[in-house]
Amino acid sequence: MNDPKAGFIGRAVERKEDYRFLTGAGQYTDDVTLPNQSYGYFLRSPHAHAKIKSIDTSAAKKAPGVLGVFTGKDVASVGGLPCGWLITSIDGTPMKEPRHPIIAEQKVLHVGDQVALVVADTLAQAKAAAALIEVDYEILPAVVDTATAAKAKTAVHEIAADNVCYTWGCGDKAATDAAFAKAAHVTKLTFVNNRLIPNAIEPRAANAVYNRADDSYTLYVTSQNPHVERLLMAAFVLGIPEHKLRVIAPDVGGGFGSKIYLYAEETALVWASRRIGRPIKWTAERSESFLADAHGRDHVTTAELALDRDGKFLALREHTTANMGAYLSTFASCIPTILHSTLLAGQYTTPAIYSEIQAVFTNTAPVDAYRGAGRPEATYLLERLVETAARELKMDPAELRRKNFIRTFPYATPVGLTYDTGDYEATLNRVQEIADVKGFAKRKAESAKKGLLRGLGYACYIEACGIAPSNIAGALGARAGLFEAGEVRVHPTGKVTIYTGSHSHGQGHETTFAQVVADKLGISLDDVDIQHGDTGKILFGMGTYGSRSIAVGGTAIVKALDKVIAKGKKIAAHLLEASDSDIEFANGEFRVAGTDRKKAFAEIALTAYVPHNYPLDKLEPGLNENAFYDPTNFTYPAGSYVCEVEVDPATGQVRIDRFAASDDFGNVINPMIVEGQVHGGLAQGIGQALLEGCIYNEDGQLVTGSFMDYAMPRADDLPHFMVETAKGTPCTHNPLGVKGCGEAGAIGAPPAVINAIVDALAHLGVRDVPMPASPHNVWKTIQAAQKH
């Protein structure tokens, strides 16, 4: 498996990083204990909305082991946490951006808001001291419901009296309305895309230390993009020179989007570390994670699909109210807009689309990207409409999709994207074979004999990965570049260290990136080392999210490798007494074209660092190159899913019996890792569809604040997945032809599951089932249908 001549791209190489994880040698942020370590604990608000009349910290400051107690007054001069994407409303006004303090100042705006930071010699001492803090609150009415927030009598923020952050539109409203006016059939649905709590296996953690010797800071943190964290924290919040803050994200136990953002806790720790003069560690307890991590989804949507008499799509329109929570998280504003509405064309040739998004503030935890980030919401909307339209028109759902598939590329959608390539019919045809759709009727009859209702549902998804390019994103409101950086450091012995701005937190970058490098250079996989997650080592980087790592980060590495090879050819030409243009490089050898004269890669590397026979007047020593890559377009993975369920009409219990997936991810670097990513995404998508649902009561208290109340998917909730990666249509604008795969399952699974459940209940007149389709929700739906 480690033979360079066999190549590494496309091979199911075992993950290099797994040995240290499986043997307990991984190092996570909480594993980092620094000399003279102290511990932080945050006192959090028990109220969703309240004025802070007074805080008495005198007893806490005198408690044993306490090194400092800090409140909002102490950090009032510090900047607020910034939002990284400006959305402009339909009327031309910018979105409302209220201050997001790192410790609550005059008001608390959600349960779990930080009220005070206590630092002590031990965590137990910090907790005990926090219990001594007396806070006098004036409780205010809470705004909780997404659908009615804009009509609430209470304002979460003074600058948004109606609780509206922005009202944004995408597409041609006039053309869309005109198409609806002449439609032969209109399908309409109103539904909620349920709020989710990420729950990565490793909770958020931070350890901050100030170095008085050079006036610098080091922060160990559970982050998906340490360079962005450093930039935002240093330049926009704390006002310290960026190069004086080193951010290290070591091994990170999952993120799913929730660790992209700059959070208040780590920022407060960095600020306090200078005041204390000792390193401060904080690790979230699971209950804190439920309360204070950024949540996902939470849309209330009305959507319509217009069709002609033959079932051709004429237009689509939606109105969605999207919950931002109490504050704008780092990328919150672009999730229901740029990453949602632009995907509403899906795989179809719908000529007119209009999307209107109203974002609202509520007294709940901030909402931001969660695996898929806007794309799951768009796919759910579209695929639920398509399946419902097929049922209303008495058409086969697969045939209705085929009738409307995009078949020529490139294809410009009416919502701003241009798909470079795809073959949607191929994945639909294949998934029908994998799922044995032809045998469904027989299985349905067998289920009926047991008193169970069987249903089959489709979902055909497309997603946009590797957000790009920077200039277009900037015009749409992005406040950061969306490039990636890579550095290739060839050592004198021919071994290679790669420094990437992408960050791995479960994706297997240390393997897949090494495969790309080893394949390109024709060297052993063991000769490649991947470094990431440390701003003190890495040139720069924009991190990992949006399935961008291999398409953007991998391409940056390839471009740096091209530079290494180009210089290697010049060195080889000198050694072989040939022209640069006559040197070819393949399988780890520089060869004079048409001859057997050659030099191995390791020989060239050694010559670069021991330049005794070297044209120093023409070539500088060393073999070290870097590159930045800014994509010209998104990549567009796509696929088709089929889910088959059994429903017990007496209890509402749903069991997924079969789940088949056919995905087009372009060229695949490591099929084993890709299959694992799809499995994980499917588990999370099924979790949303059947089990997970974040609930606040009318007072803003988090009802689902633990695993006792928030149902996570377990192994026995999941079927055997029949997953296949199609031969694929390679991406046309990156040299690897890759597209991204990490979010696909979470995007396509929810509509496939709900479509299957609705199919099982369709004979009762059921058109929709709310997510999560828990036994209680399904039972209520059945009872309501039977009454009618």
Side-chain angles (χ1 to χ4, degrees):
M1 291 294 289
N2 202 9
D3 179 9
K5 293 182 180 179
F8 291 104
I9 290 180
R11 291 170 60 186
V13 175
E14 292 184 358
R15 298 194 346 156
K16 297 178 68 176
E17 50 269 73
D18 283 351
Y19 177 79
R20 74 171 185 274
F21 294 141
L22 293 173
T23 59
Q27 185 178 59
Y28 298 88
T29 298
D30 190 59
D31 294 324
V32 177
T33 299
L34 302 171
N36 211 21
Q37 184 74 64
S38 67
Y39 297 83
Y41 181 79
F42 288 92
L43 179 69
R44 298 184 181 276
S45 171
H47 306 294
H49 195 193
K51 290 181 180 179
I52 300 175
K53 297 175 67 176
S54 65
I55 302 179
D56 184 353
T57 62
S58 57
K61 289 179 178 178
K62 297 175 183 177
V66 170
L67 302 170
V69 180
F70 305 102
T71 67
K73 289 183 179 180
D74 297 303
V75 297
S77 61
V78 171
L81 301 182
C83 180
W85 204 295
L86 174 65
I87 295 297
T88 301
S89 288
I90 294 171
D91 63 6
T93 59
M95 67 186 188
K96 304 293 195 304
E97 293 188 74
R99 176 174 166 81
H100 186 175
I102 62 174
I103 302 177
E105 295 169 349
Q106 298 173 338
K107 289 206 305 182
V108 291
L109 297 183
H110 67 93
V111 174
D113 216 351
Q114 298 81 227
V115 176
L117 167 62
V118 180
V119 183
D121 288 328
T122 69
L123 178 59
Q125 290 172 330
K127 283 186 175 183
L132 300 176
I133 297 174
E134 296 183 2
V135 185
D136 185 7
Y137 294 102
E138 179 186 332
I139 300 174
L140 302 172
V143 179
V144 178
D145 182 55
T146 303
T148 60
K151 300 176 182 178
K153 296 179 180 180
T154 302
V156 178
H157 297 282
E158 291 183 4
I159 67 168
D162 58 358
N163 293 319
V164 175
C165 177
Y166 58 77
T167 301
W168 181 85
C170 177
D172 189 330
K173 186 177 188 301
T176 302
D177 290 344
F180 269 89
K182 65 179 184 180
H185 182 84
V186 173
T187 294
K188 182 177 182 179
L189 288 173
T190 296
F191 53 82
V192 173
N193 203 292
N194 43 322
R195 179 185 276 237
L196 304 174
I197 302 175
N199 281 309
I201 193 169
E202 178 201 23
R204 287 192 295 120
N207 197 342
V209 59
Y210 172 70
N211 187 340
R212 187 165 54 88
D214 61 359
D215 192 30
S216 69
Y217 302 81
T218 300
L219 172 66
Y220 296 86
V221 65
T222 49
S223 175
Q224 296 178 221
N225 54 355
H227 279 92
V228 174
E229 174 131 349
R230 179 182 72 165
L231 174 63
L232 296 179
M233 185 185 296
F236 294 94
V237 185
L238 298 182
I240 59 179
E242 184 184 1
H243 67 285
K244 291 293 185 179
L245 174 60
R246 179 183 181 185
V247 176
I248 301 171
D251 290 327
V252 174
F256 314 118
S258 68
K259 294 173 183 172
I260 299 173
Y261 325 117
L262 178 63
Y263 282 98
E265 290 90 349
E266 60 252 31
T267 309
L269 260 61
V270 171
W271 177 87
S273 67
R274 181 169 185 165
R275 278 77 190 166
I276 297 297
R278 288 172 58 178
I280 310 171
K281 181 193 288 191
W282 166 79
T283 300
E285 297 178 357
R286 186 59 65 178
S287 60
E288 288 183 284
S289 297
F290 272 92
L291 292 171
D293 286 6
H295 294 175
R297 316 291 193 250
D298 204 345
H299 287 191
V300 178
T301 296
T302 295
E304 299 173 278
L305 179 65
L307 305 92
D308 69 13
R309 288 182 175 82
D310 298 322
K312 287 289 288 182
F313 300 166
L314 300 176
L316 182 149
R317 62 189 176 196
E318 74 154 327
H319 182 277
T320 286
T321 301
N323 196 340
M324 297 287 99
Y327 304 104
L328 283 177
S329 181
T330 309
F331 294 111
S333 55
C334 74
I335 306 306
T337 51
I338 306 302
L339 296 182
H340 166 76
S341 300
T342 56
L343 270 297
L344 288 173
Q347 300 184 3
Y348 312 114
T349 57
T350 311
I353 299 174
Y354 181 70
S355 170
E356 186 169 301
I357 309 296
Q358 182 183 67
V360 295
F361 294 110
T362 62
N363 294 116
T364 63
V367 179
D368 209 315
Y370 174 69
R371 198 170 191 168
R375 284 76 55 89
E377 297 92 317
T379 298
Y380 187 81
L381 179 160
L382 181 57
E383 291 302 291
R384 286 290 297 115
L385 278 176
V386 171
E387 197 96 350
T388 305
R391 187 165 291 109
E392 291 174 349
L393 295 172
K394 295 180 172 53
M395 292 183 65
D396 178 87
E399 292 310 311
L400 181 60
R401 289 174 168 88
R402 286 190 177 93
K403 185 181 286 287
N404 290 280
F405 274 157
I406 297 164
R407 299 180 187 278
T408 58
F409 297 88
Y411 178 83
T413 75
V415 278
L417 298 182
T418 298
Y419 304 161
D420 62 327
T421 186
D423 189 345
Y424 308 139
E425 186 150 13
T427 53
L428 179 56
N429 290 344
R430 183 59 187 142
V431 81
Q432 286 187 307
E433 294 174 5
I434 300 169
D436 184 25
V437 172
K438 291 180 179 179
F440 172 70
K442 181 180 179 181
R443 294 190 293 273
K444 184 178 180 72
E446 291 171 351
S447 295
K449 292 176 183 178
K450 299 182 290 184
L452 302 175
L453 306 175
R454 182 175 285 262
L456 183 146
Y458 289 90
C460 295
Y461 76 90
I462 189 167
E463 59 169 323
C465 299
I467 306 173
S470 291
N471 58 348
I472 300 299
L476 294 173
R479 289 165 166 167
L482 294 166
F483 55 84
E484 196 48 85
E487 180 181 356
V488 179
R489 189 173 300 175
V490 181
H491 303 289
T493 57
K495 313 300 183 185
V496 178
T497 300
I498 301 296
Y499 297 89
T500 175
S502 299
H503 186 274
S504 181
H505 39 278
Q507 295 88 346
H509 293 171
E510 293 173 39
T511 303
T512 51
F513 284 3
Q515 286 181 255
V516 169
V517 175
D519 190 273
K520 184 88 171 175
L521 296 181
I523 61 178
S524 168
L525 203 64
D526 294 332
D527 289 345
V528 183
D529 182 44
I530 306 296
Q531 295 286 320
H532 62 90
D534 185 345
T535 64
K537 294 180 179 179
I538 313 300
L539 185 67
F540 199 80
M542 298 306 297
T544 292
Y545 43 85
S547 300
R548 72 191 302 268
S549 294
I550 194 65
V552 187
T555 298
I557 292 170
V558 168
K559 288 186 172 294
L561 289 169
D562 288 340
K563 294 180 181 181
V564 166
I565 292 170
K567 184 173 181 179
K569 286 182 177 180
K570 293 180 180 180
I571 298 172
H574 175 75
L575 295 178
L576 296 169
E577 298 179 339
S579 169
D580 297 1
S581 59
D582 290 333
I583 301 297
E584 299 174 339
F585 180 72
N587 299 319
E589 296 176 337
F590 293 90
R591 182 187 299 269
V592 179
T595 75
D596 60 357
R597 295 162 57 207
K598 61 186 179 181
K599 291 288 182 181
F601 178 77
E603 293 179 84
I604 298 301
L606 183 62
T607 302
Y609 287 96
V610 187
H612 294 165
N613 181 18
Y614 197 83
L616 290 171
D617 58 326
K618 298 179 181 179
L619 284 173
E620 62 185 27
L623 200 53
N624 182 37
E625 299 288 350
N626 62 64
F628 286 79
Y629 173 64
D630 199 321
T632 58
N633 194 0
F634 289 93
T635 65
Y636 297 100
S640 295
Y641 292 171
V642 171
C643 177
E644 218 169 291
V645 301
E646 283 187 326
V647 180
D648 185 341
T651 65
Q653 181 70 43
V654 176
R655 184 182 71 87
I656 299 178
D657 184 54
R658 304 162 69 90
F659 200 107
S662 177
D663 298 289
D664 177 0
F665 297 133
N667 292 338
V668 171
I669 305 299
N670 187 315
M672 179 188 69
I673 288 177
V674 166
E675 184 175 353
Q677 288 288 311
V678 174
H679 279 215
L682 291 176
Q684 286 185 275
I686 290 169
Q688 175 175 12
L690 294 183
L691 299 159
E692 300 183 52
C694 172
I695 298 172
Y696 287 89
N697 70 12
E698 61 184 11
D699 296 322
Q701 294 294 325
L702 182 60
V703 176
T704 53
S706 76
F707 290 134
M708 293 294 289
D709 306 294
Y710 187 89
M712 296 281 283
R714 302 184 303 181
D716 60 355
D717 295 310
L718 307 173
H720 171 71
F721 296 130
M722 297 175 286
V723 172
E724 184 177 290
T725 301
K727 184 178 179 182
T729 53
C731 175
T732 62
H733 54 79
N734 69 59
L736 293 169
V738 294
K739 294 184 178 182
C741 67
E743 297 164 294
I747 293 170
V753 173
I754 298 301
N755 283 338
I757 297 171
V758 172
D759 182 56
L761 306 179
H763 66 288
L764 299 174
V766 171
R767 296 181 75 247
D768 193 26
V769 174
M771 290 195 295
S774 63
H776 182 62
N777 282 339
V778 174
W779 183 84
K780 285 198 303 181
T781 300
I782 293 170
Q783 298 306 305
Q786 289 176 338
K787 288 179 181 179
H788 292 85

